Amino acid sequence: VIERMFDPFFTTKGSGRGLGLSAVLGIVRSHGGGLKIWTEPAQGTVISVWLPLMRRGVPKVVEAAPAQPISAHGRILVVDDEPMLRDIASRLLRHLGFDVAHAASGAEAERMVATDPRGFRMVLLDETMPGMTGTETLAALRQLKPELPVLRTSGFMLDELHSDRHTDFLSKPYSLKALEQAIKGLLER
């Protein structure tokens, strides 16, 4: 178990149990930190999160002028193999005023867009899925509808991220405000 504990889809429980240690490691590393693990059979496991010391003071918060709200209309396709994460994203999008459709895999998303290419204003696409990855799903969607806006998401830092006029990236976990800003930026390009 120790050798595989950071594998993205490894679990000792049933499927659909959250982001897992691989996502935790990705988030911690993106902040310049690391993990220290102590484990002993029949004694338990302790995982310590190590983050770099912040030597400067906390930046002063400056109130910005309220941003213009996004024009929240149309249907967004949420593509994620984790039911809990699909549900959270859907709730956030509905709160912003969008209609939401779901796909549990890249293949399902490809079928849905092929069936109704004009039915989606945008796609919210997870990168790490079994079967078709987000990258493979994006390529398939571009064949069907090249101008369809796609907001890619992941709990990992992606080394080679394709970004263009119709594609952008939002790191997980994200807030409602971050999601709204990412959608607004992508749709207004």
Side-chain angles (χ1 to χ4, degrees), residues 81-114:
D81 62 307
E82 293 283 342
M84 178 181 67
L85 299 178
R86 274 195 317 269
D87 182 57
I88 291 168
S90 297
R91 288 177 189 219
L92 293 174
L93 291 167
R94 284 189 190 102
H95 181 78
L96 292 173
F98 291 101
D99 293 327
V100 181
H102 306 102
S105 69
E108 184 180 359
E110 182 180 11
R111 282 190 302 273
M112 291 173 75
V113 172

PDB file of all heavy atoms in Angstrom, residues 81-114:
ATOM      1  N   ASP A  81     -15.164  11.997 -13.395  1.00  0.00           N
ATOM      2  CA  ASP A  81     -15.504  10.622 -13.025  1.00  0.00           C
ATOM      3  C   ASP A  81     -15.909  10.493 -11.560  1.00  0.00           C
ATOM      4  O   ASP A  81     -16.474   9.483 -11.166  1.00  0.00           O
ATOM      5  CB  ASP A  81     -14.320   9.681 -13.322  1.00  0.00           C
ATOM      6  CG  ASP A  81     -13.085  10.039 -12.531  1.00  0.00           C
ATOM      7  OD1 ASP A  81     -12.661  11.208 -12.579  1.00  0.00           O
ATOM      8  OD2 ASP A  81     -12.530   9.153 -11.863  1.00  0.00           O
ATOM      9  N   GLU A  82     -15.656  11.504 -10.736  1.00  0.00           N
ATOM     10  CA  GLU A  82     -16.002  11.474  -9.317  1.00  0.00           C
ATOM     11  C   GLU A  82     -17.396  12.081  -9.109  1.00  0.00           C
ATOM     12  O   GLU A  82     -17.587  13.280  -9.310  1.00  0.00           O
ATOM     13  CB  GLU A  82     -14.982  12.265  -8.499  1.00  0.00           C
ATOM     14  CG  GLU A  82     -13.600  11.657  -8.469  1.00  0.00           C
ATOM     15  CD  GLU A  82     -13.511  10.462  -7.533  1.00  0.00           C
ATOM     16  OE1 GLU A  82     -14.390  10.296  -6.666  1.00  0.00           O
ATOM     17  OE2 GLU A  82     -12.554   9.690  -7.683  1.00  0.00           O
ATOM     18  N   PRO A  83     -18.382  11.269  -8.681  1.00  0.00           N
ATOM     19  CA  PRO A  83     -19.746  11.790  -8.498  1.00  0.00           C
ATOM     20  C   PRO A  83     -19.821  12.981  -7.545  1.00  0.00           C
ATOM     21  O   PRO A  83     -20.549  13.937  -7.801  1.00  0.00           O
ATOM     22  CB  PRO A  83     -20.514  10.587  -7.930  1.00  0.00           C
ATOM     23  CG  PRO A  83     -19.720   9.388  -8.314  1.00  0.00           C
ATOM     24  CD  PRO A  83     -18.293   9.839  -8.389  1.00  0.00           C
ATOM     25  N   MET A  84     -19.060  12.943  -6.461  1.00  0.00           N
ATOM     26  CA  MET A  84     -19.095  14.032  -5.486  1.00  0.00           C
ATOM     27  C   MET A  84     -18.601  15.337  -6.116  1.00  0.00           C
ATOM     28  O   MET A  84     -19.190  16.401  -5.917  1.00  0.00           O
ATOM     29  CB  MET A  84     -18.231  13.688  -4.274  1.00  0.00           C
ATOM     30  CG  MET A  84     -18.175  14.789  -3.231  1.00  0.00           C
ATOM     31  SD  MET A  84     -17.135  14.378  -1.818  1.00  0.00           S
ATOM     32  CE  MET A  84     -15.519  14.347  -2.572  1.00  0.00           C
ATOM     33  N   LEU A  85     -17.538  15.269  -6.906  1.00  0.00           N
ATOM     34  CA  LEU A  85     -17.003  16.468  -7.530  1.00  0.00           C
ATOM     35  C   LEU A  85     -17.911  16.997  -8.631  1.00  0.00           C
ATOM     36  O   LEU A  85     -18.038  18.213  -8.813  1.00  0.00           O
ATOM     37  CB  LEU A  85     -15.596  16.199  -8.067  1.00  0.00           C
ATOM     38  CG  LEU A  85     -14.577  15.806  -6.995  1.00  0.00           C
ATOM     39  CD1 LEU A  85     -13.232  15.504  -7.625  1.00  0.00           C
ATOM     40  CD2 LEU A  85     -14.455  16.871  -5.929  1.00  0.00           C
ATOM     41  N   ARG A  86     -18.574  16.085  -9.359  1.00  0.00           N
ATOM     42  CA  ARG A  86     -19.571  16.515 -10.361  1.00  0.00           C
ATOM     43  C   ARG A  86     -20.702  17.264  -9.666  1.00  0.00           C
ATOM     44  O   ARG A  86     -21.168  18.299 -10.150  1.00  0.00           O
ATOM     45  CB  ARG A  86     -20.154  15.303 -11.104  1.00  0.00           C
ATOM     46  CG  ARG A  86     -19.378  14.835 -12.274  1.00  0.00           C
ATOM     47  CD  ARG A  86     -20.164  13.901 -13.170  1.00  0.00           C
ATOM     48  NE  ARG A  86     -20.952  12.889 -12.497  1.00  0.00           N
ATOM     49  CZ  ARG A  86     -20.524  11.666 -12.188  1.00  0.00           C
ATOM     50  NH1 ARG A  86     -19.297  11.297 -12.496  1.00  0.00           N
ATOM     51  NH2 ARG A  86     -21.320  10.813 -11.590  1.00  0.00           N
ATOM     52  N   ASP A  87     -21.133  16.736  -8.527  1.00  0.00           N
ATOM     53  CA  ASP A  87     -22.234  17.359  -7.789  1.00  0.00           C
ATOM     54  C   ASP A  87     -21.847  18.748  -7.281  1.00  0.00           C
ATOM     55  O   ASP A  87     -22.627  19.700  -7.404  1.00  0.00           O
ATOM     56  CB  ASP A  87     -22.656  16.456  -6.621  1.00  0.00           C
ATOM     57  CG  ASP A  87     -23.830  17.027  -5.854  1.00  0.00           C
ATOM     58  OD1 ASP A  87     -24.887  17.270  -6.475  1.00  0.00           O
ATOM     59  OD2 ASP A  87     -23.694  17.245  -4.628  1.00  0.00           O
ATOM     60  N   ILE A  88     -20.655  18.883  -6.729  1.00  0.00           N
ATOM     61  CA  ILE A  88     -20.204  20.185  -6.219  1.00  0.00           C
ATOM     62  C   ILE A  88     -20.117  21.199  -7.361  1.00  0.00           C
ATOM     63  O   ILE A  88     -20.623  22.320  -7.239  1.00  0.00           O
ATOM     64  CB  ILE A  88     -18.850  20.046  -5.500  1.00  0.00           C
ATOM     65  CG1 ILE A  88     -19.020  19.266  -4.197  1.00  0.00           C
ATOM     66  CG2 ILE A  88     -18.229  21.419  -5.227  1.00  0.00           C
ATOM     67  CD1 ILE A  88     -17.718  18.828  -3.552  1.00  0.00           C
ATOM     68  N   ALA A  89     -19.490  20.806  -8.456  1.00  0.00           N
ATOM     69  CA  ALA A  89     -19.370  21.719  -9.604  1.00  0.00           C
ATOM     70  C   ALA A  89     -20.748  22.114 -10.118  1.00  0.00           C
ATOM     71  O   ALA A  89     -20.995  23.282 -10.433  1.00  0.00           O
ATOM     72  CB  ALA A  89     -18.550  21.066 -10.715  1.00  0.00           C
ATOM     73  N   SER A  90     -21.659  21.156 -10.189  1.00  0.00           N
ATOM     74  CA  SER A  90     -23.014  21.438 -10.679  1.00  0.00           C
ATOM     75  C   SER A  90     -23.734  22.430  -9.782  1.00  0.00           C
ATOM     76  O   SER A  90     -24.403  23.349 -10.270  1.00  0.00           O
ATOM     77  CB  SER A  90     -23.817  20.140 -10.763  1.00  0.00           C
ATOM     78  OG  SER A  90     -23.233  19.276 -11.693  1.00  0.00           O
ATOM     79  N   ARG A  91     -23.597  22.263  -8.484  1.00  0.00           N
ATOM     80  CA  ARG A  91     -24.243  23.197  -7.550  1.00  0.00           C
ATOM     81  C   ARG A  91     -23.694  24.609  -7.711  1.00  0.00           C
ATOM     82  O   ARG A  91     -24.451  25.589  -7.695  1.00  0.00           O
ATOM     83  CB  ARG A  91     -24.050  22.722  -6.113  1.00  0.00           C
ATOM     84  CG  ARG A  91     -24.855  21.507  -5.768  1.00  0.00           C
ATOM     85  CD  ARG A  91     -24.554  21.051  -4.365  1.00  0.00           C
ATOM     86  NE  ARG A  91     -25.159  19.763  -4.103  1.00  0.00           N
ATOM     87  CZ  ARG A  91     -25.713  19.435  -2.963  1.00  0.00           C
ATOM     88  NH1 ARG A  91     -25.741  20.305  -1.964  1.00  0.00           N
ATOM     89  NH2 ARG A  91     -26.233  18.243  -2.786  1.00  0.00           N
ATOM     90  N   LEU A  92     -22.377  24.718  -7.852  1.00  0.00           N
ATOM     91  CA  LEU A  92     -21.771  26.036  -8.036  1.00  0.00           C
ATOM     92  C   LEU A  92     -22.261  26.682  -9.331  1.00  0.00           C
ATOM     93  O   LEU A  92     -22.603  27.872  -9.358  1.00  0.00           O
ATOM     94  CB  LEU A  92     -20.248  25.925  -8.037  1.00  0.00           C
ATOM     95  CG  LEU A  92     -19.586  25.519  -6.718  1.00  0.00           C
ATOM     96  CD1 LEU A  92     -18.089  25.298  -6.917  1.00  0.00           C
ATOM     97  CD2 LEU A  92     -19.837  26.546  -5.628  1.00  0.00           C
ATOM     98  N   LEU A  93     -22.291  25.897 -10.403  1.00  0.00           N
ATOM     99  CA  LEU A  93     -22.730  26.432 -11.692  1.00  0.00           C
ATOM    100  C   LEU A  93     -24.202  26.838 -11.664  1.00  0.00           C
ATOM    101  O   LEU A  93     -24.574  27.869 -12.241  1.00  0.00           O
ATOM    102  CB  LEU A  93     -22.471  25.413 -12.795  1.00  0.00           C
ATOM    103  CG  LEU A  93     -20.989  25.175 -13.107  1.00  0.00           C
ATOM    104  CD1 LEU A  93     -20.811  23.932 -13.968  1.00  0.00           C
ATOM    105  CD2 LEU A  93     -20.378  26.401 -13.758  1.00  0.00           C
ATOM    106  N   ARG A  94     -25.038  26.039 -11.022  1.00  0.00           N
ATOM    107  CA  ARG A  94     -26.460  26.404 -10.896  1.00  0.00           C
ATOM    108  C   ARG A  94     -26.612  27.685 -10.085  1.00  0.00           C
ATOM    109  O   ARG A  94     -27.458  28.522 -10.383  1.00  0.00           O
ATOM    110  CB  ARG A  94     -27.246  25.258 -10.275  1.00  0.00           C
ATOM    111  CG  ARG A  94     -27.510  24.143 -11.241  1.00  0.00           C
ATOM    112  CD  ARG A  94     -28.491  23.110 -10.679  1.00  0.00           C
ATOM    113  NE  ARG A  94     -28.525  21.956 -11.541  1.00  0.00           N
ATOM    114  CZ  ARG A  94     -27.898  20.803 -11.292  1.00  0.00           C
ATOM    115  NH1 ARG A  94     -27.226  20.643 -10.171  1.00  0.00           N
ATOM    116  NH2 ARG A  94     -27.964  19.811 -12.143  1.00  0.00           N
ATOM    117  N   HIS A  95     -25.791  27.818  -9.037  1.00  0.00           N
ATOM    118  CA  HIS A  95     -25.813  29.036  -8.225  1.00  0.00           C
ATOM    119  C   HIS A  95     -25.480  30.263  -9.081  1.00  0.00           C
ATOM    120  O   HIS A  95     -26.016  31.352  -8.855  1.00  0.00           O
ATOM    121  CB  HIS A  95     -24.834  28.916  -7.056  1.00  0.00           C
ATOM    122  CG  HIS A  95     -24.811  30.117  -6.173  1.00  0.00           C
ATOM    123  ND1 HIS A  95     -25.789  30.354  -5.229  1.00  0.00           N
ATOM    124  CD2 HIS A  95     -23.944  31.163  -6.109  1.00  0.00           C
ATOM    125  CE1 HIS A  95     -25.524  31.501  -4.617  1.00  0.00           C
ATOM    126  NE2 HIS A  95     -24.407  32.001  -5.134  1.00  0.00           N
ATOM    127  N   LEU A  96     -24.600  30.075 -10.064  1.00  0.00           N
ATOM    128  CA  LEU A  96     -24.248  31.173 -10.970  1.00  0.00           C
ATOM    129  C   LEU A  96     -25.316  31.422 -12.037  1.00  0.00           C
ATOM    130  O   LEU A  96     -25.244  32.405 -12.760  1.00  0.00           O
ATOM    131  CB  LEU A  96     -22.901  30.883 -11.648  1.00  0.00           C
ATOM    132  CG  LEU A  96     -21.683  30.894 -10.733  1.00  0.00           C
ATOM    133  CD1 LEU A  96     -20.435  30.433 -11.476  1.00  0.00           C
ATOM    134  CD2 LEU A  96     -21.469  32.279 -10.121  1.00  0.00           C
ATOM    135  N   GLY A  97     -26.280  30.502 -12.152  1.00  0.00           N
ATOM    136  CA  GLY A  97     -27.379  30.700 -13.088  1.00  0.00           C
ATOM    137  C   GLY A  97     -27.353  29.836 -14.332  1.00  0.00           C
ATOM    138  O   GLY A  97     -28.170  30.010 -15.223  1.00  0.00           O
ATOM    139  N   PHE A  98     -26.417  28.893 -14.417  1.00  0.00           N
ATOM    140  CA  PHE A  98     -26.320  28.034 -15.596  1.00  0.00           C
ATOM    141  C   PHE A  98     -27.189  26.788 -15.450  1.00  0.00           C
ATOM    142  O   PHE A  98     -27.461  26.330 -14.340  1.00  0.00           O
ATOM    143  CB  PHE A  98     -24.871  27.574 -15.811  1.00  0.00           C
ATOM    144  CG  PHE A  98     -23.941  28.674 -16.225  1.00  0.00           C
ATOM    145  CD1 PHE A  98     -23.098  29.267 -15.293  1.00  0.00           C
ATOM    146  CD2 PHE A  98     -23.905  29.115 -17.534  1.00  0.00           C
ATOM    147  CE1 PHE A  98     -22.231  30.281 -15.669  1.00  0.00           C
ATOM    148  CE2 PHE A  98     -23.046  30.125 -17.921  1.00  0.00           C
ATOM    149  CZ  PHE A  98     -22.209  30.708 -16.982  1.00  0.00           C
ATOM    150  N   ASP A  99     -27.601  26.221 -16.585  1.00  0.00           N
ATOM    151  CA  ASP A  99     -28.154  24.876 -16.634  1.00  0.00           C
ATOM    152  C   ASP A  99     -26.963  23.938 -16.713  1.00  0.00           C
ATOM    153  O   ASP A  99     -25.930  24.285 -17.276  1.00  0.00           O
ATOM    154  CB  ASP A  99     -29.041  24.680 -17.869  1.00  0.00           C
ATOM    155  CG  ASP A  99     -30.308  25.515 -17.804  1.00  0.00           C
ATOM    156  OD1 ASP A  99     -30.834  25.724 -16.700  1.00  0.00           O
ATOM    157  OD2 ASP A  99     -30.746  25.972 -18.872  1.00  0.00           O
ATOM    158  N   VAL A 100     -27.104  22.727 -16.154  1.00  0.00           N
ATOM    159  CA  VAL A 100     -25.960  21.821 -16.077  1.00  0.00           C
ATOM    160  C   VAL A 100     -26.336  20.441 -16.585  1.00  0.00           C
ATOM    161  O   VAL A 100     -27.406  19.924 -16.291  1.00  0.00           O
ATOM    162  CB  VAL A 100     -25.448  21.708 -14.613  1.00  0.00           C
ATOM    163  CG1 VAL A 100     -24.249  20.779 -14.528  1.00  0.00           C
ATOM    164  CG2 VAL A 100     -25.093  23.084 -14.063  1.00  0.00           C
ATOM    165  N   ALA A 101     -25.442  19.850 -17.356  1.00  0.00           N
ATOM    166  CA  ALA A 101     -25.533  18.451 -17.768  1.00  0.00           C
ATOM    167  C   ALA A 101     -24.262  17.764 -17.272  1.00  0.00           C
ATOM    168  O   ALA A 101     -23.244  18.418 -17.042  1.00  0.00           O
ATOM    169  CB  ALA A 101     -25.635  18.339 -19.286  1.00  0.00           C
ATOM    170  N   HIS A 102     -24.327  16.437 -17.073  1.00  0.00           N
ATOM    171  CA  HIS A 102     -23.192  15.687 -16.517  1.00  0.00           C
ATOM    172  C   HIS A 102     -22.722  14.597 -17.448  1.00  0.00           C
ATOM    173  O   HIS A 102     -23.526  13.992 -18.141  1.00  0.00           O
ATOM    174  CB  HIS A 102     -23.595  14.979 -15.211  1.00  0.00           C
ATOM    175  CG  HIS A 102     -24.182  15.861 -14.190  1.00  0.00           C
ATOM    176  ND1 HIS A 102     -25.519  15.910 -13.954  1.00  0.00           N
ATOM    177  CD2 HIS A 102     -23.612  16.744 -13.349  1.00  0.00           C
ATOM    178  CE1 HIS A 102     -25.756  16.776 -12.993  1.00  0.00           C
ATOM    179  NE2 HIS A 102     -24.620  17.303 -12.620  1.00  0.00           N
ATOM    180  N   ALA A 103     -21.425  14.324 -17.389  1.00  0.00           N
ATOM    181  CA  ALA A 103     -20.837  13.152 -18.036  1.00  0.00           C
ATOM    182  C   ALA A 103     -19.816  12.581 -17.061  1.00  0.00           C
ATOM    183  O   ALA A 103     -19.028  13.319 -16.472  1.00  0.00           O
ATOM    184  CB  ALA A 103     -20.172  13.526 -19.351  1.00  0.00           C
ATOM    185  N   ALA A 104     -19.829  11.265 -16.882  1.00  0.00           N
ATOM    186  CA  ALA A 104     -18.926  10.599 -15.941  1.00  0.00           C
ATOM    187  C   ALA A 104     -17.628  10.150 -16.601  1.00  0.00           C
ATOM    188  O   ALA A 104     -16.760   9.608 -15.920  1.00  0.00           O
ATOM    189  CB  ALA A 104     -19.631   9.409 -15.296  1.00  0.00           C
ATOM    190  N   SER A 105     -17.500  10.377 -17.906  1.00  0.00           N
ATOM    191  CA  SER A 105     -16.286   9.954 -18.615  1.00  0.00           C
ATOM    192  C   SER A 105     -16.112  10.814 -19.863  1.00  0.00           C
ATOM    193  O   SER A 105     -17.047  11.468 -20.329  1.00  0.00           O
ATOM    194  CB  SER A 105     -16.384   8.485 -19.022  1.00  0.00           C
ATOM    195  OG  SER A 105     -17.362   8.325 -20.029  1.00  0.00           O
ATOM    196  N   GLY A 106     -14.894  10.755 -20.396  1.00  0.00           N
ATOM    197  CA  GLY A 106     -14.628  11.471 -21.638  1.00  0.00           C
ATOM    198  C   GLY A 106     -15.441  10.926 -22.792  1.00  0.00           C
ATOM    199  O   GLY A 106     -15.948  11.686 -23.628  1.00  0.00           O
ATOM    200  N   ALA A 107     -15.603   9.600 -22.845  1.00  0.00           N
ATOM    201  CA  ALA A 107     -16.384   8.982 -23.926  1.00  0.00           C
ATOM    202  C   ALA A 107     -17.840   9.434 -23.868  1.00  0.00           C
ATOM    203  O   ALA A 107     -18.451   9.724 -24.899  1.00  0.00           O
ATOM    204  CB  ALA A 107     -16.296   7.462 -23.841  1.00  0.00           C
ATOM    205  N   GLU A 108     -18.392   9.517 -22.655  1.00  0.00           N
ATOM    206  CA  GLU A 108     -19.775   9.980 -22.510  1.00  0.00           C
ATOM    207  C   GLU A 108     -19.905  11.446 -22.931  1.00  0.00           C
ATOM    208  O   GLU A 108     -20.860  11.822 -23.616  1.00  0.00           O
ATOM    209  CB  GLU A 108     -20.244   9.800 -21.062  1.00  0.00           C
ATOM    210  CG  GLU A 108     -21.688  10.158 -20.842  1.00  0.00           C
ATOM    211  CD  GLU A 108     -22.153   9.981 -19.401  1.00  0.00           C
ATOM    212  OE1 GLU A 108     -21.357   9.545 -18.540  1.00  0.00           O
ATOM    213  OE2 GLU A 108     -23.331  10.291 -19.136  1.00  0.00           O
ATOM    214  N   ALA A 109     -18.929  12.272 -22.570  1.00  0.00           N
ATOM    215  CA  ALA A 109     -18.946  13.679 -22.978  1.00  0.00           C
ATOM    216  C   ALA A 109     -18.873  13.805 -24.492  1.00  0.00           C
ATOM    217  O   ALA A 109     -19.604  14.603 -25.092  1.00  0.00           O
ATOM    218  CB  ALA A 109     -17.771  14.419 -22.332  1.00  0.00           C
ATOM    219  N   GLU A 110     -18.025  13.005 -25.113  1.00  0.00           N
ATOM    220  CA  GLU A 110     -17.894  13.027 -26.570  1.00  0.00           C
ATOM    221  C   GLU A 110     -19.226  12.672 -27.228  1.00  0.00           C
ATOM    222  O   GLU A 110     -19.660  13.335 -28.178  1.00  0.00           O
ATOM    223  CB  GLU A 110     -16.801  12.055 -27.011  1.00  0.00           C
ATOM    224  CG  GLU A 110     -16.557  12.052 -28.500  1.00  0.00           C
ATOM    225  CD  GLU A 110     -15.467  11.069 -28.908  1.00  0.00           C
ATOM    226  OE1 GLU A 110     -15.042  10.236 -28.087  1.00  0.00           O
ATOM    227  OE2 GLU A 110     -15.058  11.145 -30.079  1.00  0.00           O
ATOM    228  N   ARG A 111     -19.909  11.633 -26.722  1.00  0.00           N
ATOM    229  CA  ARG A 111     -21.216  11.243 -27.273  1.00  0.00           C
ATOM    230  C   ARG A 111     -22.241  12.356 -27.106  1.00  0.00           C
ATOM    231  O   ARG A 111     -23.019  12.644 -28.024  1.00  0.00           O
ATOM    232  CB  ARG A 111     -21.723   9.971 -26.595  1.00  0.00           C
ATOM    233  CG  ARG A 111     -21.083   8.699 -27.096  1.00  0.00           C
ATOM    234  CD  ARG A 111     -21.796   7.453 -26.577  1.00  0.00           C
ATOM    235  NE  ARG A 111     -21.841   7.374 -25.137  1.00  0.00           N
ATOM    236  CZ  ARG A 111     -20.886   6.844 -24.357  1.00  0.00           C
ATOM    237  NH1 ARG A 111     -19.788   6.361 -24.912  1.00  0.00           N
ATOM    238  NH2 ARG A 111     -21.026   6.804 -23.057  1.00  0.00           N
ATOM    239  N   MET A 112     -22.250  13.004 -25.946  1.00  0.00           N
ATOM    240  CA  MET A 112     -23.234  14.057 -25.680  1.00  0.00           C
ATOM    241  C   MET A 112     -23.035  15.256 -26.612  1.00  0.00           C
ATOM    242  O   MET A 112     -24.005  15.797 -27.146  1.00  0.00           O
ATOM    243  CB  MET A 112     -23.169  14.483 -24.209  1.00  0.00           C
ATOM    244  CG  MET A 112     -23.663  13.414 -23.256  1.00  0.00           C
ATOM    245  SD  MET A 112     -23.407  13.846 -21.518  1.00  0.00           S
ATOM    246  CE  MET A 112     -24.708  15.076 -21.301  1.00  0.00           C
ATOM    247  N   VAL A 113     -21.791  15.654 -26.825  1.00  0.00           N
ATOM    248  CA  VAL A 113     -21.520  16.796 -27.703  1.00  0.00           C
ATOM    249  C   VAL A 113     -21.785  16.409 -29.157  1.00  0.00           C
ATOM    250  O   VAL A 113     -22.318  17.214 -29.932  1.00  0.00           O
ATOM    251  CB  VAL A 113     -20.085  17.325 -27.497  1.00  0.00           C
ATOM    252  CG1 VAL A 113     -19.725  18.370 -28.542  1.00  0.00           C
ATOM    253  CG2 VAL A 113     -19.938  17.909 -26.084  1.00  0.00           C
ATOM    254  N   ALA A 114     -21.471  15.179 -29.525  1.00  0.00           N
ATOM    255  CA  ALA A 114     -21.742  14.724 -30.895  1.00  0.00           C
ATOM    256  C   ALA A 114     -23.239  14.717 -31.175  1.00  0.00           C
ATOM    257  O   ALA A 114     -23.673  15.075 -32.266  1.00  0.00           O
ATOM    258  CB  ALA A 114     -21.159  13.327 -31.120  1.00  0.00           C
TER     259      ALA A 114
END
